[in-house]
Amino acid sequence: MSPEPDRPREDGSSPVRWHSGEVDTASEAEIREQTTQRLEKAMGTFGTAALSSMEEQLPWFRRMPPDQRSWIGLVAQAGIAAFVEWFKSNERTRPAIAGEVFGTAPRELLRSIKLHHTIDMIRVIIDVVETRLDELAAPGGETQLREAILRYTRDVAFGAAQVYARAAETRAAWDARLEALVVNAVLRGEVDDGMHSWAAALGWTSKPVTVIAGYTPEDEEPEVTIDQMQLAARRARADVLAGVHGHRVIVIVGGDADPMEAARPVAAKCGPGPVVVGPQVSDLYDSTKSAQAAVAGLRAAAGWPDAPRPVQATELLPERALDGDGEARRYLVEGVYNPMLAAGAPLLDTLATYLEQGSSLEATARLLFVHPNTVRYRLRRVTELTGLAPTDGRNAFTLRIALVLGRFAARPPRA
């Protein structure tokens, strides 16, 4: 069925035009055209009025340097120009907000203006336009212009959120790469001023430092694992740098908290298997020592299936020594065997006999022809010198390994 011809109005005004079921009066098009002309004439004063209003209402804007305020003025002017062009086109297309409005600003401006500041700016600009609505809109076009402003500013708000979201994603990706570089440098022993500058870029200022090693959860993306650990660390008020290396996750924890207490929320986010806590060191420069101990302990923890979780790397010294860890061997010789050797041969003889006799005081005393109290005294002396009690089964195992390694170190070189 063909559309009906245009019919004149009774009052002699422009006829009503019928187009595929939509009614579009000539007067509405004329009002839009007249409003557009008014907007184009007043467009030059909008930016100045908006900046003046922001100067008056926004304290953070007044504190900004002049160059940044001028960039904001350009952004506001670009937004107004884009609105006028969009309104002129009868709102047929969705405006390319991100490119038209925010594309005029330098990238550095995003670091100075936060998202809620941008929303404040949009609100002020809307207020400026609405206060002049009667002046800008042609007679009868106030509602038309108000609705267009609301639709446009909604898109501006969404466009601003999109710009900031992209910037945040880029920043997060860059931070993740920096974090991985810092953790890798600590593991490789390449801790220098360059690495410290990377850590400083991530906001790292924490002292002292502890490194924790564990395994990643099964069927979980590395990024998810790291995010979970960082969230757990923040709840425990600790700073964390984390990286995934194969099936291992390495976590650098900074702060004055007890290392074992700091390790517990991290261990809860690790996968099955041991979680080893390296010794606490003074700062990031010494963190390689803690990292190496934690990784060596993680590798050797298979020798102690019943180890607590988390477990200190120093508690795994015998397993680490048997697994070939040179640092553990040196510590057991220099920190355990040599102090006993310096205290005199009777102390070493008593300890060796006690361990060989299945921790029996009476058997040790009989073999050494001494009173059992003398054996007790010498064993207490061993504990004072090494921090390891021979009467404890786990400590006795560590002392036995230390005795063997000390004898290896004391043997004469082959001719």
Side-chain angles (χ1 to χ4, degrees):
M1 182 176 181
S2 60
E4 298 181 18
D6 296 345
R7 293 176 295 180
R9 291 173 175 261
E10 293 181 358
D11 58 1
S13 60
S14 301
V16 178
R17 297 173 182 173
W18 299 81
H19 297 288
S20 303
E22 296 183 0
V23 179
D24 181 21
T25 63
S27 60
E28 288 179 353
E30 292 172 357
I31 290 173
R32 179 178 293 274
E33 184 177 353
Q34 293 172 11
T35 302
T36 300
Q37 292 174 357
R38 294 189 178 198
L39 288 171
E40 290 175 339
K41 290 179 181 179
M43 190 169 58
T45 63
F46 276 162
T48 303
L51 286 177
S52 299
S53 185
M54 282 188 277
E55 181 85 25
E56 179 182 349
Q57 300 181 34
L58 305 178
W60 60 265
F61 181 76
R62 293 194 294 269
R63 294 192 295 267
M64 296 187 73
D67 59 332
Q68 292 186 356
R69 281 188 290 179
S70 66
W71 279 116
I72 291 176
L74 290 177
V75 171
Q77 195 69 41
I80 294 168
F83 168 72
V84 174
E85 188 64 29
W86 176 71
F87 185 82
K88 183 178 181 180
S89 67
N90 200 12
E91 311 170 27
R92 291 188 179 91
T93 59
R94 184 174 180 177
I97 299 297
E100 293 180 5
V101 178
F102 300 102
T104 60
R107 189 176 299 273
E108 291 77 10
L109 197 62
L110 291 176
R111 302 191 185 102
S112 304
I113 303 178
K114 301 185 183 300
L115 179 58
H116 69 273
H117 290 163
T118 304
I119 294 173
D120 289 341
M121 288 167 46
I122 295 172
R123 186 180 294 113
V124 169
I125 294 173
I126 293 173
D127 291 341
V128 169
V129 175
E130 287 186 337
T131 54
R132 301 178 60 182
L133 194 65
D134 294 336
E135 171 191 344
L136 297 172
E142 293 83 358
T143 301
Q144 184 185 66
L145 181 58
R146 183 179 291 107
E147 291 178 354
I149 291 172
L150 291 176
R151 287 194 296 271
Y152 185 80
T153 51
R154 177 198 62 188
D155 283 340
V156 169
F158 282 126
Q162 187 179 37
V163 169
Y164 278 88
R166 283 201 300 265
E169 289 175 357
T170 301
R171 175 72 182 184
W174 175 247
D175 287 352
R177 287 193 291 270
L178 272 184
E179 189 172 3
L181 287 172
V182 171
V183 174
N184 188 56
V186 168
L187 284 177
R188 293 166 60 91
E190 299 173 352
V191 182
D192 53 16
D193 291 338
M195 190 218 67
H196 267 259
S197 67
W198 300 340
L202 295 169
W204 181 272
T205 58
S206 298
K207 297 178 182 180
V209 172
T210 303
V211 179
I212 303 167
Y215 292 107
T216 57
E218 298 176 357
D219 302 325
E220 185 172 280
E221 293 295 327
E223 294 81 5
V224 176
T225 301
I226 292 175
D227 289 344
Q228 291 291 331
M229 289 182 176
Q230 290 176 335
L231 180 60
R234 283 196 295 269
R235 289 174 178 170
R237 297 183 179 180
D239 293 328
V240 161
L241 297 173
V244 174
H245 292 251
H247 296 294
R248 299 180 311 190
V249 57
I250 309 299
V251 183
I252 304 172
V253 180
D256 294 325
D258 178 77
M260 294 301 291
E261 289 297 324
R264 287 189 175 91
V266 173
K269 302 302 179 182
C270 289
V275 176
V276 183
V277 183
Q280 193 174 62
V281 294
S282 59
D283 54 31
L284 207 56
Y285 280 104
D286 296 327
S287 57
T288 294
K289 182 186 303 182
S290 181
Q292 291 175 346
V295 171
L298 184 66
R299 187 173 54 248
W304 187 14
D306 297 328
R309 175 187 160 108
V311 60
Q312 290 183 333
T314 53
E315 296 184 53
L316 288 161
L317 281 171
E319 287 80 10
R320 289 165 53 193
L322 292 173
D323 195 43
D325 181 12
E327 185 61 33
R329 292 188 173 196
R330 280 190 295 273
Y331 181 84
L332 289 175
V333 173
E334 297 173 4
V336 178
Y337 179 82
N338 286 347
M340 293 187 294
L341 179 63
L347 205 65
L348 282 176
D349 293 340
T350 301
L351 176 62
T353 304
Y354 178 77
L355 296 176
E356 290 169 0
Q357 296 302 313
S359 302
S360 172
L361 286 171
E362 291 75 11
T364 303
R366 285 195 303 269
L367 286 174
L368 295 177
F369 300 103
V370 296
H371 194 277
N373 285 342
T374 302
V375 176
R376 290 190 181 93
Y377 168 76
R378 291 176 180 176
L379 294 180
R380 284 198 300 271
R381 184 69 177 140
V382 168
T383 303
E384 292 172 1
L385 291 172
T386 66
L388 300 169
T391 54
D392 177 82
R394 178 69 190 170
N395 289 345
F397 174 59
T398 304
L399 288 167
R400 185 181 290 274
I401 299 298
L403 282 175
V404 174
L405 293 174
R407 290 165 183 163
F408 285 165
R411 63 189 171 188
R414 293 182 179 180

